[in-house]
């Protein structure tokens, strides 16, 4: 069983993620990745900002 | 004795000092694990025979879906602790988890919808699993609105805890929906009682992404709870000392 083996031969192949049925699935995978990272990043930013604002009031 | 133990170790002050110490370790560990696992899943696993490369969304969708349900269970346990032992910290945690739960459920719904386009040919169906997850998302938003609609915090905490416990009936429905009804959503690939239906090459990065995502969400809950504690305990002297 090979655990680590690059599934794509080039950068463009990895971006397009063309499947054996000829469909390119890259757009779906990358858009989900972008949404997940944006949501996580924005939530961190939102709460860091809120904590900063409320602690300023105490000082 | 249990009451004394809980009250001693679950005071907001002790909690704040403890989580502040643990936060950087959890944060860096989970970011590294999540990034490596997602990279592994997206680039180093083979293409799926049936779904093609779209199956790689599993490394983003499954952790979000699993954590969104786990967070609700955590809220239900914390609500019970509040109602039984009147531990304030537990209800602060319930209120802190709710928005993070809403975000993870949102990620689960959106990623599932996008995954549905190449796999099912549609982004939405009124399927039991999807609808029960949508109900979970609405419940999270409803709980936040309910708590914020009260001027009296004590009343708000009590109503929130009761509603969380009542709403927890939706969690087994989400879990079992693919077994009870004929749905478009596939049944669970990983169960405690059976051998996983997914190959180990694909399974290991999935476990990694679930652990990493759980850690990141824990960090978000810590931040959210810190804000709630500051908001609720602003008149206590220890808060000023802490800041």
């Amino acid at each position: 069983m090979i655990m680590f083996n690059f599934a794509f031969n080039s950068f463009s192949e990895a971006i397009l993620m063309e499947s054996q049925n000829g469909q390119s699935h890259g757009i779906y995978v990358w858009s989900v990745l972008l949404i997940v990272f944006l949501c996580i990043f924005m939530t961190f930013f939102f709460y860091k900002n809120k904590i900063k604002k409320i602690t300023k009031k105490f000082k | 004795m249990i009451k004394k133990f809980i009250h001693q170790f679950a005071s907001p002050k002790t909690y704040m000092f403890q989580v502040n110490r643990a936060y950087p370790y959890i944060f860096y560990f989970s970011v590294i694990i999540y990034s490596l696992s997602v990279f592994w899943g997206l680039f180093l696993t083979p293409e799926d025979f049936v779904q093609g490369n779209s199956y790689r969304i599993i490394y983003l969708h499954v952790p979000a879906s699993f954590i969104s349900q786990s967070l609700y269970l955590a809220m239900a346990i914390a609500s019970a602790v509040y109602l039984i032992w009147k531990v304030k910290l537990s209800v602060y945690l319930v209120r802190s988890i709710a928005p993070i739960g809403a975000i993870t459920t949102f990620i689960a719904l959106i990623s599932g919808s996008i995954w549905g386009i190449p796999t099912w040919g549609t982004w939405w169906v009124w399927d039991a699993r999807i609808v029960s997850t949508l109900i979970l998302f609405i419940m999270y938003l409803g709980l936040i609105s309910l708590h914020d609609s009260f001027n009296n915090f004590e009343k708000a905490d009590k109503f929130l805890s009761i509603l969380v416990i009542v709403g927890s009936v939706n969690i087994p429905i989400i879990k079992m929906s693919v077994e009870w009804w004929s749905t478009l959503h596939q049944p669970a690939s990983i169960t405690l009682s059976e051998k996983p239906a997914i190959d180990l090459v694909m399974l290991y990065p999935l476990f990694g992404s679930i652990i990493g995502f759980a850690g990141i969400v824990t960090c978000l809950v810590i931040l959210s709870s810190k804000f709630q504690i500051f908001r609720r305990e602003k008149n206590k002297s220890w808060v000023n000392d802490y800041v």
Side-chain angles (χ1 to χ4, degrees), chain B residues 61-87:
Chain B
H61 172 75
V62 170
S65 180
F66 177 74
I67 298 299
S68 66
Q69 292 162 48
S70 307
L71 284 178
Y72 198 93
L73 275 183
M75 278 171 67
I77 294 166
S79 297
V81 169
Y82 174 71
L83 290 173
I84 298 165
W85 290 296
K86 298 279 169 230
V87 178

PDB file of all heavy atoms in Angstrom, chain B residues 61-87:
ATOM      1  N   HIS B  61     -15.466  18.669   4.344  1.00  0.00           N
ATOM      2  CA  HIS B  61     -16.886  18.545   4.691  1.00  0.00           C
ATOM      3  C   HIS B  61     -17.109  17.690   5.943  1.00  0.00           C
ATOM      4  O   HIS B  61     -17.823  18.110   6.863  1.00  0.00           O
ATOM      5  CB  HIS B  61     -17.641  17.936   3.500  1.00  0.00           C
ATOM      6  CG  HIS B  61     -19.065  17.581   3.790  1.00  0.00           C
ATOM      7  ND1 HIS B  61     -20.050  18.529   3.894  1.00  0.00           N
ATOM      8  CD2 HIS B  61     -19.665  16.374   4.004  1.00  0.00           C
ATOM      9  CE1 HIS B  61     -21.202  17.917   4.163  1.00  0.00           C
ATOM     10  NE2 HIS B  61     -20.998  16.623   4.248  1.00  0.00           N
ATOM     11  N   VAL B  62     -16.496  16.509   5.991  1.00  0.00           N
ATOM     12  CA  VAL B  62     -16.733  15.583   7.117  1.00  0.00           C
ATOM     13  C   VAL B  62     -16.298  16.173   8.467  1.00  0.00           C
ATOM     14  O   VAL B  62     -17.068  16.116   9.433  1.00  0.00           O
ATOM     15  CB  VAL B  62     -16.119  14.189   6.830  1.00  0.00           C
ATOM     16  CG1 VAL B  62     -16.143  13.306   8.067  1.00  0.00           C
ATOM     17  CG2 VAL B  62     -16.875  13.514   5.698  1.00  0.00           C
ATOM     18  N   PRO B  63     -15.078  16.772   8.568  1.00  0.00           N
ATOM     19  CA  PRO B  63     -14.731  17.371   9.873  1.00  0.00           C
ATOM     20  C   PRO B  63     -15.748  18.424  10.322  1.00  0.00           C
ATOM     21  O   PRO B  63     -16.160  18.423  11.488  1.00  0.00           O
ATOM     22  CB  PRO B  63     -13.361  18.016   9.626  1.00  0.00           C
ATOM     23  CG  PRO B  63     -12.796  17.284   8.483  1.00  0.00           C
ATOM     24  CD  PRO B  63     -13.944  16.888   7.628  1.00  0.00           C
ATOM     25  N   ALA B  64     -16.184  19.280   9.403  1.00  0.00           N
ATOM     26  CA  ALA B  64     -17.146  20.337   9.766  1.00  0.00           C
ATOM     27  C   ALA B  64     -18.468  19.731  10.225  1.00  0.00           C
ATOM     28  O   ALA B  64     -19.061  20.161  11.227  1.00  0.00           O
ATOM     29  CB  ALA B  64     -17.363  21.267   8.582  1.00  0.00           C
ATOM     30  N   SER B  65     -18.924  18.719   9.494  1.00  0.00           N
ATOM     31  CA  SER B  65     -20.195  18.080   9.818  1.00  0.00           C
ATOM     32  C   SER B  65     -20.118  17.371  11.183  1.00  0.00           C
ATOM     33  O   SER B  65     -21.025  17.510  12.018  1.00  0.00           O
ATOM     34  CB  SER B  65     -20.518  17.094   8.699  1.00  0.00           C
ATOM     35  OG  SER B  65     -21.702  16.469   8.939  1.00  0.00           O
ATOM     36  N   PHE B  66     -19.034  16.625  11.396  1.00  0.00           N
ATOM     37  CA  PHE B  66     -18.850  15.887  12.653  1.00  0.00           C
ATOM     38  C   PHE B  66     -18.757  16.852  13.839  1.00  0.00           C
ATOM     39  O   PHE B  66     -19.402  16.652  14.877  1.00  0.00           O
ATOM     40  CB  PHE B  66     -17.578  15.028  12.535  1.00  0.00           C
ATOM     41  CG  PHE B  66     -17.220  14.272  13.779  1.00  0.00           C
ATOM     42  CD1 PHE B  66     -17.945  13.156  14.163  1.00  0.00           C
ATOM     43  CD2 PHE B  66     -16.152  14.672  14.577  1.00  0.00           C
ATOM     44  CE1 PHE B  66     -17.612  12.461  15.319  1.00  0.00           C
ATOM     45  CE2 PHE B  66     -15.819  13.987  15.727  1.00  0.00           C
ATOM     46  CZ  PHE B  66     -16.551  12.872  16.099  1.00  0.00           C
ATOM     47  N   ILE B  67     -17.990  17.922  13.661  1.00  0.00           N
ATOM     48  CA  ILE B  67     -17.785  18.864  14.768  1.00  0.00           C
ATOM     49  C   ILE B  67     -19.065  19.649  15.052  1.00  0.00           C
ATOM     50  O   ILE B  67     -19.369  19.946  16.210  1.00  0.00           O
ATOM     51  CB  ILE B  67     -16.600  19.818  14.460  1.00  0.00           C
ATOM     52  CG1 ILE B  67     -15.291  19.033  14.315  1.00  0.00           C
ATOM     53  CG2 ILE B  67     -16.453  20.913  15.523  1.00  0.00           C
ATOM     54  CD1 ILE B  67     -14.823  18.245  15.524  1.00  0.00           C
ATOM     55  N   SER B  68     -19.849  19.964  14.021  1.00  0.00           N
ATOM     56  CA  SER B  68     -21.078  20.736  14.247  1.00  0.00           C
ATOM     57  C   SER B  68     -22.040  19.968  15.154  1.00  0.00           C
ATOM     58  O   SER B  68     -22.702  20.558  16.011  1.00  0.00           O
ATOM     59  CB  SER B  68     -21.748  21.092  12.917  1.00  0.00           C
ATOM     60  OG  SER B  68     -22.190  19.928  12.287  1.00  0.00           O
ATOM     61  N   GLN B  69     -22.082  18.645  14.975  1.00  0.00           N
ATOM     62  CA  GLN B  69     -22.951  17.826  15.836  1.00  0.00           C
ATOM     63  C   GLN B  69     -22.347  17.633  17.228  1.00  0.00           C
ATOM     64  O   GLN B  69     -23.050  17.672  18.239  1.00  0.00           O
ATOM     65  CB  GLN B  69     -23.192  16.466  15.184  1.00  0.00           C
ATOM     66  CG  GLN B  69     -24.023  16.549  13.918  1.00  0.00           C
ATOM     67  CD  GLN B  69     -23.894  15.299  13.079  1.00  0.00           C
ATOM     68  OE1 GLN B  69     -24.008  14.201  13.576  1.00  0.00           O
ATOM     69  NE2 GLN B  69     -23.638  15.456  11.797  1.00  0.00           N
ATOM     70  N   SER B  70     -21.013  17.454  17.256  1.00  0.00           N
ATOM     71  CA  SER B  70     -20.329  17.266  18.553  1.00  0.00           C
ATOM     72  C   SER B  70     -20.481  18.514  19.417  1.00  0.00           C
ATOM     73  O   SER B  70     -20.646  18.410  20.639  1.00  0.00           O
ATOM     74  CB  SER B  70     -18.847  16.982  18.345  1.00  0.00           C
ATOM     75  OG  SER B  70     -18.693  15.922  17.463  1.00  0.00           O
ATOM     76  N   LEU B  71     -20.408  19.688  18.795  1.00  0.00           N
ATOM     77  CA  LEU B  71     -20.541  20.934  19.553  1.00  0.00           C
ATOM     78  C   LEU B  71     -21.922  21.028  20.191  1.00  0.00           C
ATOM     79  O   LEU B  71     -22.062  21.487  21.325  1.00  0.00           O
ATOM     80  CB  LEU B  71     -20.304  22.144  18.644  1.00  0.00           C
ATOM     81  CG  LEU B  71     -18.851  22.444  18.264  1.00  0.00           C
ATOM     82  CD1 LEU B  71     -18.787  23.632  17.317  1.00  0.00           C
ATOM     83  CD2 LEU B  71     -17.991  22.724  19.482  1.00  0.00           C
ATOM     84  N   TYR B  72     -22.928  20.578  19.459  1.00  0.00           N
ATOM     85  CA  TYR B  72     -24.281  20.635  20.027  1.00  0.00           C
ATOM     86  C   TYR B  72     -24.394  19.694  21.238  1.00  0.00           C
ATOM     87  O   TYR B  72     -25.005  20.043  22.247  1.00  0.00           O
ATOM     88  CB  TYR B  72     -25.354  20.304  18.985  1.00  0.00           C
ATOM     89  CG  TYR B  72     -26.704  20.801  19.450  1.00  0.00           C
ATOM     90  CD1 TYR B  72     -27.158  22.053  19.082  1.00  0.00           C
ATOM     91  CD2 TYR B  72     -27.481  20.058  20.344  1.00  0.00           C
ATOM     92  CE1 TYR B  72     -28.349  22.553  19.567  1.00  0.00           C
ATOM     93  CE2 TYR B  72     -28.670  20.543  20.835  1.00  0.00           C
ATOM     94  CZ  TYR B  72     -29.105  21.786  20.436  1.00  0.00           C
ATOM     95  OH  TYR B  72     -30.287  22.289  20.933  1.00  0.00           O
ATOM     96  N   LEU B  73     -23.769  18.518  21.110  1.00  0.00           N
ATOM     97  CA  LEU B  73     -23.776  17.574  22.245  1.00  0.00           C
ATOM     98  C   LEU B  73     -23.070  18.188  23.452  1.00  0.00           C
ATOM     99  O   LEU B  73     -23.543  18.059  24.587  1.00  0.00           O
ATOM    100  CB  LEU B  73     -23.081  16.267  21.855  1.00  0.00           C
ATOM    101  CG  LEU B  73     -23.945  15.237  21.141  1.00  0.00           C
ATOM    102  CD1 LEU B  73     -23.139  13.974  20.878  1.00  0.00           C
ATOM    103  CD2 LEU B  73     -25.183  14.863  21.971  1.00  0.00           C
ATOM    104  N   ALA B  74     -21.944  18.859  23.191  1.00  0.00           N
ATOM    105  CA  ALA B  74     -21.206  19.525  24.271  1.00  0.00           C
ATOM    106  C   ALA B  74     -22.087  20.584  24.931  1.00  0.00           C
ATOM    107  O   ALA B  74     -22.096  20.729  26.161  1.00  0.00           O
ATOM    108  CB  ALA B  74     -19.937  20.160  23.716  1.00  0.00           C
ATOM    109  N   MET B  75     -22.854  21.310  24.107  1.00  0.00           N
ATOM    110  CA  MET B  75     -23.776  22.326  24.637  1.00  0.00           C
ATOM    111  C   MET B  75     -24.841  21.684  25.516  1.00  0.00           C
ATOM    112  O   MET B  75     -25.206  22.223  26.568  1.00  0.00           O
ATOM    113  CB  MET B  75     -24.454  23.079  23.480  1.00  0.00           C
ATOM    114  CG  MET B  75     -23.631  24.185  22.901  1.00  0.00           C
ATOM    115  SD  MET B  75     -24.383  24.844  21.404  1.00  0.00           S
ATOM    116  CE  MET B  75     -25.834  25.603  22.022  1.00  0.00           C
ATOM    117  N   ALA B  76     -25.357  20.534  25.078  1.00  0.00           N
ATOM    118  CA  ALA B  76     -26.409  19.858  25.841  1.00  0.00           C
ATOM    119  C   ALA B  76     -25.875  19.394  27.195  1.00  0.00           C
ATOM    120  O   ALA B  76     -26.553  19.541  28.221  1.00  0.00           O
ATOM    121  CB  ALA B  76     -26.949  18.666  25.042  1.00  0.00           C
ATOM    122  N   ILE B  77     -24.643  18.859  27.208  1.00  0.00           N
ATOM    123  CA  ILE B  77     -24.038  18.413  28.474  1.00  0.00           C
ATOM    124  C   ILE B  77     -23.815  19.622  29.395  1.00  0.00           C
ATOM    125  O   ILE B  77     -24.157  19.586  30.584  1.00  0.00           O
ATOM    126  CB  ILE B  77     -22.709  17.650  28.214  1.00  0.00           C
ATOM    127  CG1 ILE B  77     -22.998  16.342  27.473  1.00  0.00           C
ATOM    128  CG2 ILE B  77     -21.961  17.369  29.521  1.00  0.00           C
ATOM    129  CD1 ILE B  77     -21.788  15.665  26.874  1.00  0.00           C
ATOM    130  N   ALA B  78     -23.269  20.702  28.829  1.00  0.00           N
ATOM    131  CA  ALA B  78     -23.014  21.913  29.633  1.00  0.00           C
ATOM    132  C   ALA B  78     -24.333  22.489  30.166  1.00  0.00           C
ATOM    133  O   ALA B  78     -24.383  22.984  31.304  1.00  0.00           O
ATOM    134  CB  ALA B  78     -22.277  22.945  28.797  1.00  0.00           C
ATOM    135  N   SER B  79     -25.396  22.418  29.373  1.00  0.00           N
ATOM    136  CA  SER B  79     -26.706  22.916  29.820  1.00  0.00           C
ATOM    137  C   SER B  79     -27.220  22.099  31.004  1.00  0.00           C
ATOM    138  O   SER B  79     -27.755  22.656  31.968  1.00  0.00           O
ATOM    139  CB  SER B  79     -27.732  22.826  28.686  1.00  0.00           C
ATOM    140  OG  SER B  79     -27.341  23.639  27.639  1.00  0.00           O
ATOM    141  N   ALA B  80     -27.048  20.774  30.913  1.00  0.00           N
ATOM    142  CA  ALA B  80     -27.483  19.902  32.010  1.00  0.00           C
ATOM    143  C   ALA B  80     -26.701  20.228  33.276  1.00  0.00           C
ATOM    144  O   ALA B  80     -27.280  20.311  34.372  1.00  0.00           O
ATOM    145  CB  ALA B  80     -27.292  18.439  31.611  1.00  0.00           C
ATOM    146  N   VAL B  81     -25.387  20.445  33.124  1.00  0.00           N
ATOM    147  CA  VAL B  81     -24.540  20.797  34.282  1.00  0.00           C
ATOM    148  C   VAL B  81     -25.044  22.096  34.903  1.00  0.00           C
ATOM    149  O   VAL B  81     -25.134  22.216  36.128  1.00  0.00           O
ATOM    150  CB  VAL B  81     -23.052  20.915  33.851  1.00  0.00           C
ATOM    151  CG1 VAL B  81     -22.197  21.541  34.951  1.00  0.00           C
ATOM    152  CG2 VAL B  81     -22.491  19.548  33.482  1.00  0.00           C
ATOM    153  N   TYR B  82     -25.397  23.047  34.053  1.00  0.00           N
ATOM    154  CA  TYR B  82     -25.893  24.337  34.568  1.00  0.00           C
ATOM    155  C   TYR B  82     -27.215  24.158  35.320  1.00  0.00           C
ATOM    156  O   TYR B  82     -27.400  24.694  36.420  1.00  0.00           O
ATOM    157  CB  TYR B  82     -26.063  25.343  33.434  1.00  0.00           C
ATOM    158  CG  TYR B  82     -26.693  26.626  33.901  1.00  0.00           C
ATOM    159  CD1 TYR B  82     -25.996  27.521  34.708  1.00  0.00           C
ATOM    160  CD2 TYR B  82     -28.020  26.942  33.578  1.00  0.00           C
ATOM    161  CE1 TYR B  82     -26.575  28.685  35.177  1.00  0.00           C
ATOM    162  CE2 TYR B  82     -28.610  28.107  34.042  1.00  0.00           C
ATOM    163  CZ  TYR B  82     -27.880  28.971  34.834  1.00  0.00           C
ATOM    164  OH  TYR B  82     -28.455  30.123  35.306  1.00  0.00           O
ATOM    165  N   LEU B  83     -28.122  23.390  34.714  1.00  0.00           N
ATOM    166  CA  LEU B  83     -29.442  23.232  35.338  1.00  0.00           C
ATOM    167  C   LEU B  83     -29.367  22.416  36.635  1.00  0.00           C
ATOM    168  O   LEU B  83     -30.116  22.668  37.576  1.00  0.00           O
ATOM    169  CB  LEU B  83     -30.417  22.577  34.362  1.00  0.00           C
ATOM    170  CG  LEU B  83     -30.835  23.450  33.165  1.00  0.00           C
ATOM    171  CD1 LEU B  83     -31.664  22.648  32.195  1.00  0.00           C
ATOM    172  CD2 LEU B  83     -31.592  24.692  33.611  1.00  0.00           C
ATOM    173  N   ILE B  84     -28.448  21.445  36.701  1.00  0.00           N
ATOM    174  CA  ILE B  84     -28.347  20.605  37.900  1.00  0.00           C
ATOM    175  C   ILE B  84     -27.529  21.288  38.995  1.00  0.00           C
ATOM    176  O   ILE B  84     -27.962  21.398  40.123  1.00  0.00           O
ATOM    177  CB  ILE B  84     -27.748  19.215  37.557  1.00  0.00           C
ATOM    178  CG1 ILE B  84     -28.657  18.477  36.570  1.00  0.00           C
ATOM    179  CG2 ILE B  84     -27.551  18.377  38.812  1.00  0.00           C
ATOM    180  CD1 ILE B  84     -28.029  17.279  35.893  1.00  0.00           C
ATOM    181  N   TRP B  85     -26.308  21.744  38.648  1.00  0.00           N
ATOM    182  CA  TRP B  85     -25.397  22.259  39.675  1.00  0.00           C
ATOM    183  C   TRP B  85     -25.253  23.784  39.691  1.00  0.00           C
ATOM    184  O   TRP B  85     -24.463  24.312  40.458  1.00  0.00           O
ATOM    185  CB  TRP B  85     -24.014  21.621  39.524  1.00  0.00           C
ATOM    186  CG  TRP B  85     -24.003  20.168  39.904  1.00  0.00           C
ATOM    187  CD1 TRP B  85     -24.243  19.655  41.139  1.00  0.00           C
ATOM    188  CD2 TRP B  85     -23.737  19.052  39.065  1.00  0.00           C
ATOM    189  NE1 TRP B  85     -24.136  18.286  41.118  1.00  0.00           N
ATOM    190  CE2 TRP B  85     -23.824  17.875  39.849  1.00  0.00           C
ATOM    191  CE3 TRP B  85     -23.428  18.898  37.713  1.00  0.00           C
ATOM    192  CZ2 TRP B  85     -23.625  16.603  39.334  1.00  0.00           C
ATOM    193  CZ3 TRP B  85     -23.221  17.636  37.199  1.00  0.00           C
ATOM    194  CH2 TRP B  85     -23.326  16.504  38.010  1.00  0.00           C
ATOM    195  N   LYS B  86     -25.948  24.454  38.759  1.00  0.00           N
ATOM    196  CA  LYS B  86     -25.893  25.921  38.685  1.00  0.00           C
ATOM    197  C   LYS B  86     -24.468  26.460  38.504  1.00  0.00           C
ATOM    198  O   LYS B  86     -24.088  27.454  39.134  1.00  0.00           O
ATOM    199  CB  LYS B  86     -26.510  26.559  39.947  1.00  0.00           C
ATOM    200  CG  LYS B  86     -27.975  26.246  40.144  1.00  0.00           C
ATOM    201  CD  LYS B  86     -28.833  27.154  39.301  1.00  0.00           C
ATOM    202  CE  LYS B  86     -30.275  26.696  39.269  1.00  0.00           C
ATOM    203  NZ  LYS B  86     -30.880  26.594  37.986  1.00  0.00           N
ATOM    204  N   VAL B  87     -23.698  25.757  37.679  1.00  0.00           N
ATOM    205  CA  VAL B  87     -22.327  26.224  37.405  1.00  0.00           C
ATOM    206  C   VAL B  87     -22.397  27.284  36.302  1.00  0.00           C
ATOM    207  O   VAL B  87     -22.787  26.979  35.179  1.00  0.00           O
ATOM    208  CB  VAL B  87     -21.430  25.041  36.955  1.00  0.00           C
ATOM    209  CG1 VAL B  87     -20.028  25.524  36.625  1.00  0.00           C
ATOM    210  CG2 VAL B  87     -21.381  23.990  38.040  1.00  0.00           C
TER     211      VAL B  87
END
